[in-house]
Amino acid sequence: RVAPPRSTPFTFQPNTNLTLKMAVLLGMGNPLLDISAVVPTEFLDKYDLKLNNAVLAEEKHAPMYDDMVKNFDVEYIAGGATQNSIRVAQWMLGAPKSAAYMGCVGKDAFADEMVKCCEAEGVHVNYMVDEATPTGTCGVLVNGGERSLCAALNAANNYKIAHLEKPENWKLVEDAKFYYSAGFFLTVSPDSMLKVAKHAAEQGKTYTMNLSAPFLMEVPPFKSAMMECMPYVDVLFGNESEAATFAKSEGWDTTDVKEIACKASTLPKAEGAKPGRLVVFTQGMDPTIVAKDGAVLGEFPVIPLAPEKLVDTNGAGDAFVGGFLSQFVKGAELETCVKAGNYGANAIIQQSGCKFPPVCDFA
């Protein structure tokens, strides 16, 4: 068993200078408690893990979590890609309960820790509880400031559309104007994603999704589920390696991120959905590429950071999405949205894990 959480969430301090012009942002995904530690290369090799990659835990990874707790100074942080993005968006929006989140957890100390953390930060969490299965965890193995993720979904893998369809939960969907899911949720409840995506299209709302990890495009059932949602996706996020894998899975003979972004932006949209698709691809320290209607709208530089200030890249992509959406839901200009994304990512990589300062001073 993994030791119970030791971390204490910070006190939420709303930024009253920001006024939310639109209704709530709703995220749906896999809530995981991150178990984070700095590890040597030998430890990564022991469990066949690579930096800058994310995998689902296999049998060979089962002892890893206890191994981390016994041998390293571990930290426990509320995580899961979508939940991270929603937490960052809430932090930057300021007004409590501007952002909401759904997913499945167990009935245990790990779930209690995540509820406590998210509520302290102002996020409206609405978890489905599976009393028979432990809360999901994600090993975050940090080496040289870069990270490898290994997720044991556990209860997160058991989210059911029946929870979404309960009137009190569906009301969150009806109240929201913007929706976000990381691609990881495609492995769990693609029917829930599709139902919300179709609702967004029918009601003139905005559905956003992330490519999230190369394996989602390399495993046929997951890629199929992704492409079923794609006609409803109004904003598509990803990074350069995910873009390259997506292009390969589509049979596109290119590795040029700008060209891939343009091609992805012109994939068919569903009848009745809003026309056009914004594609936003980050590239680590290189400029972020944004495309729509087959054309590059801009290349936006990241915020420079001295190497000695880089602590941990875990959650940087999630934080970029959260920052971007915090301004996008308010109708901000594209440049402002990307700046907010870069601000969120820059704040997170100076912390251990997906954490941020108590007060957001983005302006």
Side-chain angles (χ1 to χ4, degrees), residues 110-151:
F110 283 179
D112 292 344
E113 179 75 4
M114 282 202 290
V115 169
K116 194 193 318 177
C117 177
C118 289
E119 288 186 346
E121 295 167 356
V123 176
H124 180 182
V125 289
N126 188 350
Y127 294 137
M128 172 185 161
V129 178
D130 178 355
E131 297 188 13
T133 311
T135 295
T137 54
C138 182
V140 181
L141 289 72
V142 181
N143 179 287
E146 298 182 326
R147 90 294 183 267
S148 180
L149 307 179
C150 184

Side-chain angles (χ1 to χ4, degrees), residues 99-280:
Y101 177 77
M102 288 187 192
C104 185
V105 298
K107 190 175 183 180
D108 52 29
F110 283 179
D112 292 344
E113 179 75 4
M114 282 202 290
V115 169
K116 194 193 318 177
C117 177
C118 289
E119 288 186 346
E121 295 167 356
V123 176
H124 180 182
V125 289
N126 188 350
Y127 294 137
M128 172 185 161
V129 178
D130 178 355
E131 297 188 13
T133 311
T135 295
T137 54
C138 182
V140 181
L141 289 72
V142 181
N143 179 287
E146 298 182 326
R147 90 294 183 267
S148 180
L149 307 179
C150 184
L153 295 183
N154 296 332
N157 202 38
N158 295 339
Y159 188 84
K160 301 292 186 288
I161 195 169
H163 176 266
L164 175 69
E165 290 172 339
K166 288 182 179 177
E168 64 271 26
N169 299 332
W170 187 250
K171 188 175 187 306
L172 275 177
V173 178
E174 291 181 328
D175 287 346
K177 291 257 192 326
F178 295 83
Y179 310 91
Y180 174 69
S181 280
F184 295 118
F185 202 45
L186 292 164
T187 72
V188 173
S189 192
D191 51 349
S192 296
M193 290 177 66
L194 194 57
K195 186 178 179 74
V196 171
K198 287 182 175 179
H199 166 83
E202 290 164 1
Q203 300 297 320
K205 299 177 180 182
T206 300
Y207 190 79
T208 70
M209 187 176 76
N210 203 313
L211 295 177
S212 292
F215 81 87
L216 293 167
M217 291 152 275
E218 294 167 337
V219 178
F222 300 156
K223 176 67 191 306
S224 176
M226 178 183 287
M227 298 314 290
E228 198 172 355
C229 288
M230 194 63 73
Y232 303 95
V233 174
D234 300 304
V235 185
L236 180 68
F237 296 98
N239 66 26
E240 73 278 25
S241 62
E242 294 152 8
T245 307
F246 184 77
K248 186 177 179 181
S249 73
E250 286 292 294
W252 299 341
D253 187 22
T254 180
T255 56
D256 181 85
V257 176
K258 285 185 272 191
E259 187 178 351
I260 297 166
C262 290
K263 283 178 172 286
S265 73
T266 60
L267 288 170
K269 292 291 294 282
E271 187 177 347
K274 285 194 281 191
R277 176 184 298 107
L278 197 66
V279 176
V280 184

Side-chain angles (χ1 to χ4, degrees), residues 304-341:
L305 183 70
E308 62 270 18
K309 290 190 174 182
L310 173 64
V311 175
D312 177 3
T313 58
N314 179 40
D318 303 334
F320 175 88
V321 171
F324 185 101
L325 291 176
S326 76
Q327 304 307 302
F328 192 72
V329 302
K330 299 195 295 181
E333 295 291 330
L334 178 60
E335 185 176 3
T336 301
C337 295
V338 177
K339 280 183 178 177

Side-chain angles (χ1 to χ4, degrees), residues 8-15 76-79 83-99 113-125 127 348 354-358:
T8 303
F10 64 79
T11 303
F12 171 72
Q13 296 184 28
N15 181 350
Y76 299 91
I77 307 159
Q83 187 165 244
N84 285 343
S85 296
I86 293 299
R87 289 172 53 231
V88 171
Q90 174 60 58
W91 172 60
M92 294 186 67
L93 282 165
K97 299 191 187 302
S98 297
E113 179 75 4
M114 282 202 290
V115 169
K116 194 193 318 177
C117 177
C118 289
E119 288 186 346
E121 295 167 356
V123 176
H124 180 182
V125 289
Y127 294 137
I348 263 58
C354 191
K355 296 181 299 187
F356 28 82

